[in-house]
Amino acid sequence: MNYENLLISIEEKIATVTINRPTKLNALNKATISDLSKAVKLLGKNDDVRVIIITGSGEKAFVAGADISEFANYTIVEGAQLAAEGQETLFDLIENLKKPVIAAVNGFALGGGLELAMACHFRVASDNAKMGLPEVTLGLIPGYGGTQRLPQLVGKGRAMEMIMTAAMISAEEAKQYGLVNHVVPQAELLDFTTGIAQKIIKNAPFAIAKAIKAINANYTDGKNGFDTEIKSFGKCFGTQDFKEGTTAFLEKRKAEFTGK
Ligand code: COA
C-alpha cells in the first residue's frame, strides 16, 4: 500500500515507518494521522512483521506537532473531536498494539510529536533531539494524551513544569527524566534502534503481546494490573512457544518461536 505521507520498509521482520512531510517538519495533519493509523493496523496484522519502528524523515524533526494550520479556526466541538479521533484511531492504537512499537526520535518531537513518541512502547533519541509540549503557547493543552502519558513517564512534578513552561528539553535531559531510554549520535539512531528490535524478535511474540497488555493495564482505568498479569501469565502456558522455550532451554539450544 502507498501512503501520501509515509515511507515504509520491512526487513527481517522489522518494519520502519518514516513520517515524510519534511517541509512541514513532519507535522501531523489529518491525512498523516489517517495514514499512520492504517499503516499501524496493517503492520499489526502482518505476519512478516514483529516490531515496528516509527521515525521522521530528514535530520531536523521527528514530528513538530499536530498541524497548527488545520485547527487554527476550530470550534469547541471540533477541537474535542480532533483530540478524540486522534487518540482513538492512532495514539491508543499504538499503545495497545500487540507488537512492540519503538519511537526513533531523530529531532524535534513537540506537541503531538512527543505525544506520538510517548504512545510508542519506548523511545530512543538522537543526540540533537529536542522534546516538549508547547501547546500552552498556542492557548491549548496537549490533546493526544500528553497530560496523561508525560506524568506516567517523568513524574507529575516534571510533567507539570514541562507543560506549564512549554520548555523544550534536550535528549540528554529526556534520558535523565526517563522519557527516552537511550541517546545516540544521529547517524547511528536507526541502526541502534534496529539492534534493539533484533533482540526483541528473538523472543516469544505471544508472551511479548501479553507483557504489553499487563504493563498497560496498570495505566488503564478500571483494570487491575496484577490481575491482568495473572491471567496473561496463565495463557502463556497454553502456547506452542512456551513448550518450545522450555524444551529449548532443557535441550541447551536456541528456541525457535512461531508466535503460536
Ligand atoms: N504545524 C504546522 N506547520 C508546522 C509545524 C506545525 N506544528 N511545525 C513546523 N511547521 C512548518 C512551519 O510553518 C514551516 O512551514 P513554511 O516553511 O511553509 O513556513 C516549516 O514547518 C518549517 O518550520 P520553521 O518554523 O520555519 O522551522 P524553524 O527551524 O524556524 O523552527 C520549530 C522549528 C519546531 C521550533 C518551529 O517550527 C515550531 O515551533 N513549530 C511548532 C511547534 C508546536 O507548537 N507544536 C505543537 C503543535 S500542537
Side-chain angles (χ1 to χ4, degrees):
M1 191 161 173
N2 281 330
Y3 298 93
E4 191 186 333
N5 301 305
L6 302 180
L7 302 170
I8 299 184
S9 69
I10 300 176
E11 237 173 277
E12 295 176 6
K13 304 222 176 262
I14 300 165
T16 304
V17 177
T18 305
I19 300 163
N20 190 31
R21 290 185 82 211
T23 58
K24 296 291 172 191
L25 303 187
N26 305 322
L28 294 178
N29 59 357
K30 277 194 174 173
T32 307
I33 291 200
S34 163
D35 277 0
L36 272 169
S37 173
K38 283 184 203 143
V40 169
K41 267 188 206 140
L42 283 177
L43 294 170
K45 288 186 204 145
N46 185 336
D47 287 340
D48 282 334
V49 173
R50 292 262 187 98
V51 177
I52 300 169
I53 296 172
I54 299 182
T55 193
S57 70
E59 293 183 351
K60 192 166 170 184
F62 173 70
V63 169
D67 192 315
I68 299 167
S69 66
E70 273 192 350
F71 61 70
N73 297 315
Y74 273 17
T75 62
I76 293 175
V77 171
E78 288 168 328
Q81 229 166 20
L82 179 76
E85 276 174 25
Q87 289 195 19
E88 192 190 322
T89 60
L90 183 61
F91 296 75
D92 293 352
L93 171 77
I94 291 175
E95 182 168 68
N96 295 308
L97 205 76
K98 292 180 177 170
K99 294 175 187 175
V101 186
I102 311 172
V105 180
N106 57 307
F108 286 115
L110 303 175
L114 181 55
E115 290 173 300
L116 176 66
M118 291 194 294
C120 294
H121 297 123
F122 61 90
R123 290 141 293 284
V124 179
S126 59
D127 49 8
N128 64 317
K130 289 210 176 343
M131 282 157 259
L133 293 178
E135 285 84 349
V136 294
T137 66
L138 302 168
L140 291 174
I141 65 166
Y144 288 143
T147 63
Q148 306 305 299
R149 292 192 182 100
L150 188 63
Q152 287 167 8
L153 288 163
V154 306
K156 186 175 169 185
R158 280 175 170 156
M160 287 279 191
E161 184 178 336
M162 279 180 69
I163 290 172
M164 288 180 199
T165 61
M168 284 188 216
I169 59 170
S170 68
E172 273 307 328
E173 282 170 302
K175 189 174 160 202
Q176 278 166 24
Y177 281 18
L179 185 52
V180 304
N181 293 7
H182 309 274
V183 178
V184 297
Q186 186 168 53
E188 293 164 27
L189 179 66
L190 278 186
D191 281 352
F192 184 89
T193 311
T194 301
I196 299 176
Q198 283 164 342
K199 283 187 193 161
I200 294 173
I201 61 180
K202 289 190 182 131
N203 302 321
F206 183 88
I208 284 174
K210 291 296 175 198
I212 292 170
K213 186 174 174 181
I215 292 168
N216 280 344
N218 182 45
Y219 302 95
T220 311
D221 269 352
K223 289 209 174 147
N224 180 303
F226 289 100
D227 230 28
T228 306
E229 182 182 283
I230 289 166
K231 286 186 188 124
S232 299
F233 180 76
K235 283 186 182 153
C236 291
F237 284 77
T239 63
Q240 288 174 21
D241 279 352
F242 164 68
K243 299 271 176 291
E244 168 63 9
T246 47
T247 307
F249 176 81
L250 296 171
E251 291 175 355
K252 299 191 188 302
R253 62 172 173 82
K254 277 196 179 149
E256 294 290 336
F257 293 117
T258 60
K260 290 182 183 138

